[in-house]
């Protein structure tokens, strides 16, 4: 079976969906049963792009600012390229891993990772939100099968779009091999360059946007005794998101104190080492369709303090330290406990490593391949 996959998101630095796509394609290729063709936005190819397109984020930002109806113009151009390639090399099935499926006259599978555009529309530019709503609804209507990362999102898709449950399939995400426990000696070169010590900092990971609830993390951190903040800086790793001005004032105050550090986007290797070296991951997100950093932290031997909401309990299970994402006092108490109570920290560390072993990209790929066969047979 030949499958066409929209891989245009890999032009940008990889975040959640980009990692999903890259790991899924690699796992699907192992069996040799599928021929996967990737649409990059410019054309079709069989190999994953080795790196993001240089300067893509900057040029994309300029286009959005200066080109009228930039999203629609780009989409029209890409649709033509998409169709031209398929005329030369047809595929049996089209898989759209995001919210913007192309027009395709054949069986289609769509992955819906979350419904952020429904619950948090203010996290998207207005013109982009219009296009998301239009393309997503049309894609859900056309798709023979809809893949979701969690049962939580599956239930949301059924309720919001009125999709029959038999069309929705849960394919939990996996964890790349680079996420694993590491010794202090293994971590020393990377962390020393950042003036950090193994086990001596707290970590937040995620795009800097309101949904990730960084404000709560900052307020909770400010509640810690000065001596603990001096010993355990709060390190934030993530790309700027939409409407960063909502975080500007709290971040400026936190950064001015010198105990909160903003690292920006981290490549795969750097992030894996940062996760393995942290005392804990603080992940108070208000809404997640899965929460990949939670799984990656657990696999790295790092306990996680996280919200007990949306899909996060499906990922962390009993290995997570759950908090109310609105309660900064309880969050501060949880941080302090995992710093000061070594036995409790060790129990969560061991439970997290075991929990992470229940997830794999091989399993995700096997479920996905099965869904492909179902969709073609519809």
């Amino acid at each position: 079976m030949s499958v066409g996959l929209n891989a245009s998101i890999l032009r940008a630095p990889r975040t959640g969906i980009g990692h999903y796509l890259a790991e899924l394609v690699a796992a699907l290729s192992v069996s040799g049963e599928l021929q996967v063709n990737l649409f990059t936005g410019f054309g079709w190819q069989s190999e994953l792009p080795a790196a993001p397109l240089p300067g893509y984020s900057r040029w994309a930002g300029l286009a959005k600012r200066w080109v009228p109806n930039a999203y629609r113009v780009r989409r029209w151009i890409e649709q033509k390229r998409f169709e031209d390639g398929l005329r030369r090399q047809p595929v049996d099935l089209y898989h759209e891993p995001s919210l913007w499926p192309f027009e395709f006259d054949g069986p289609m599978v769509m992955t819906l990772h979350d419904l952020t555009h429904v619950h948090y529309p203010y996290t998207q530019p207005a013109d982009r939100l219009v296009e998301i709503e239009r393309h997503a609804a049309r894609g859900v209507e056309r798709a023979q099968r809809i893949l979701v990362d969690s049962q939580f999102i599956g239930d949301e898709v059924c309720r919001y779009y009125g999709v029959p449950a038999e069309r929705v399939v849960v394919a939990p995400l996996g964890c790349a091999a680079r996420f694993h426990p590491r010794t202090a000696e293994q971590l020393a070169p990377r962390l020393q360059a950042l003036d950090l010590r193994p086990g001596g900092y707290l970590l937040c990971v995620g795009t800097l946007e309101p949904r990730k609830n960084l404000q709560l993390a900052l307020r909770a951190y400010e509640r810690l005794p000065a001596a603990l903040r001096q010993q355990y800086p709060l390190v934030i790793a993530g790309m700027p998101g939409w409407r960063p001005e909502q975080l500007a004032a709290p971040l400026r105050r936190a950064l001015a104190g010198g105990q909160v550090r903003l690292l920006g986007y981290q490549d795969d290797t750097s992030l894996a080492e940062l996760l393995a070296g942290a005392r804990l991951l603080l992940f108070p997100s208000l809404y997640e369709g899965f929460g990949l950093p939670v799984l990656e932290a657990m696999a790295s031997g790092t306990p996680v303090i996280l919200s007990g909401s949306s899909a996060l309990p499906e990922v962390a299970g009993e290995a997570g330290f759950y908090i109310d994402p609105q309660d900064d006092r309880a969050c501060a108490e949880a941080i302090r406990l995992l710093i000061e109570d070594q036995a409790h920290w060790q129990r969560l560390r061991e439970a997290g490593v075991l929990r992470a072993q229940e997830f794999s990209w091989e399993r995700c790929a096997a479920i996905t391949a099965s869904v492909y066969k179902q969709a073609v047979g519809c």
Side-chain angles (χ1 to χ4, degrees):
M1 181 192 303
S2 60
V3 177
L5 246 169
N6 181 11
S8 57
I9 196 170
L10 295 180
R11 293 176 297 192
R14 290 181 190 176
T15 53
I17 298 177
H19 285 299
Y20 161 78
L21 181 58
E23 295 292 347
L24 176 64
V25 170
L28 287 171
S29 67
V30 172
S31 69
E33 296 180 0
L34 297 172
Q35 177 186 341
V36 180
N37 301 303
L38 305 174
F39 179 66
T40 65
F42 301 103
W44 290 84
Q45 62 188 58
S46 58
E47 299 295 326
L48 280 167
L53 191 67
Y56 174 79
S57 297
R58 184 170 65 89
W59 287 111
L62 289 173
K64 293 170 192 173
R65 180 179 301 177
W66 298 109
V67 178
N69 298 313
Y71 289 108
R72 291 198 176 194
V73 170
R74 187 183 74 181
R75 195 64 179 183
W76 183 84
I77 294 171
E78 291 181 348
Q79 179 70 47
K80 295 298 181 184
R81 293 170 176 165
F82 181 84
E83 293 171 354
D84 288 345
L86 290 180
R87 278 193 287 269
R88 291 190 296 270
Q89 188 174 358
V91 297
D92 300 312
L93 173 84
Y94 165 42
H95 180 182
E96 172 55 53
S98 188
L99 294 166
W100 299 49
F102 291 104
E103 294 297 322
F104 177 72
D105 190 18
M108 186 183 83
V109 168
M110 184 176 180
T111 300
L112 282 176
H113 298 281
D114 57 54
L115 298 187
T116 300
H117 63 288
V118 174
H119 298 292
Y120 298 92
Y122 56 83
T123 65
Q124 303 287 345
D127 54 345
R128 187 173 192 270
L129 182 63
V130 169
E131 293 302 299
I132 286 176
E133 290 177 336
R134 184 164 68 93
H135 287 285
R138 173 110 173 99
V140 168
E141 180 183 351
R142 289 165 45 211
Q144 275 70 33
R145 292 289 185 274
I146 299 167
L147 286 162
V148 293
D149 302 339
S150 62
Q151 188 61 55
F152 172 81
I153 292 301
D155 293 342
E156 282 206 328
V157 168
C158 291
R159 286 195 303 268
Y160 183 76
Y161 288 107
V163 177
E166 58 268 22
R167 283 178 55 207
V168 179
V169 180
V170 179
L173 308 187
C175 191
R178 64 182 174 274
F179 296 102
H180 58 81
R182 302 170 192 251
T183 65
E185 291 74 20
Q186 291 171 324
L187 293 167
R190 176 83 59 182
L191 297 187
Q192 284 176 359
L194 297 172
D195 193 25
L196 297 171
R197 59 184 177 83
Y201 59 94
L202 317 178
L203 182 63
C204 287
V205 172
T207 303
L208 305 186
E209 62 178 67
R211 174 172 63 96
K212 297 298 183 180
N213 205 17
L214 182 59
Q215 296 99 322
L216 176 110
L218 295 173
R219 293 198 306 270
Y221 186 70
E222 289 176 355
R223 284 184 173 277
L224 296 178
L228 281 185
R229 283 186 277 119
Q230 187 67 34
Q231 188 177 3
Y232 292 90
L234 176 63
V235 175
I236 303 169
M239 294 179 64
W242 172 242
R243 299 186 72 181
E245 71 276 5
Q246 293 190 3
L247 296 173
L251 265 180
R252 278 198 303 269
R253 289 196 301 270
L255 295 171
Q259 293 157 350
V260 175
R261 306 182 192 179
L262 189 60
L263 297 187
Y265 176 79
Q266 298 294 299
D267 63 28
D268 293 350
T269 301
S270 298
L271 181 60
E273 295 186 4
L274 277 171
L275 280 169
R279 178 67 179 184
L280 58 87
L281 176 70
L282 185 55
F283 201 79
S285 180
L286 297 172
Y287 176 81
E288 295 289 331
F290 187 82
L292 198 52
V294 170
L295 180 59
E296 293 166 345
M298 293 191 303
S300 303
T302 299
V304 184
I305 297 173
L306 71 165
S307 306
S309 61
S310 59
L312 292 173
E314 289 186 54
V315 179
E318 296 183 359
F321 194 133
Y322 296 101
I323 58 166
D324 179 341
Q326 306 295 342
D327 191 343
D328 53 278
R329 185 184 298 275
C331 184
E333 291 172 356
I335 294 171
R336 187 167 181 173
L337 177 63
L338 288 187
I339 289 176
E340 297 178 341
D341 189 334
Q342 183 64 23
H344 195 94
W345 180 90
Q346 186 64 31
R347 285 196 297 274
L348 286 183
R349 171 185 169 89
E350 293 172 359
V353 170
L354 289 175
R355 176 67 176 177
Q357 292 172 0
E358 300 177 23
F359 297 82
S360 73
W361 286 114
E362 290 75 18
R363 177 189 175 204
C364 181
I367 296 172
T368 301
S370 175
V371 166
Y372 290 166
K373 295 173 184 176
Q374 295 172 26
V376 170
C378 286

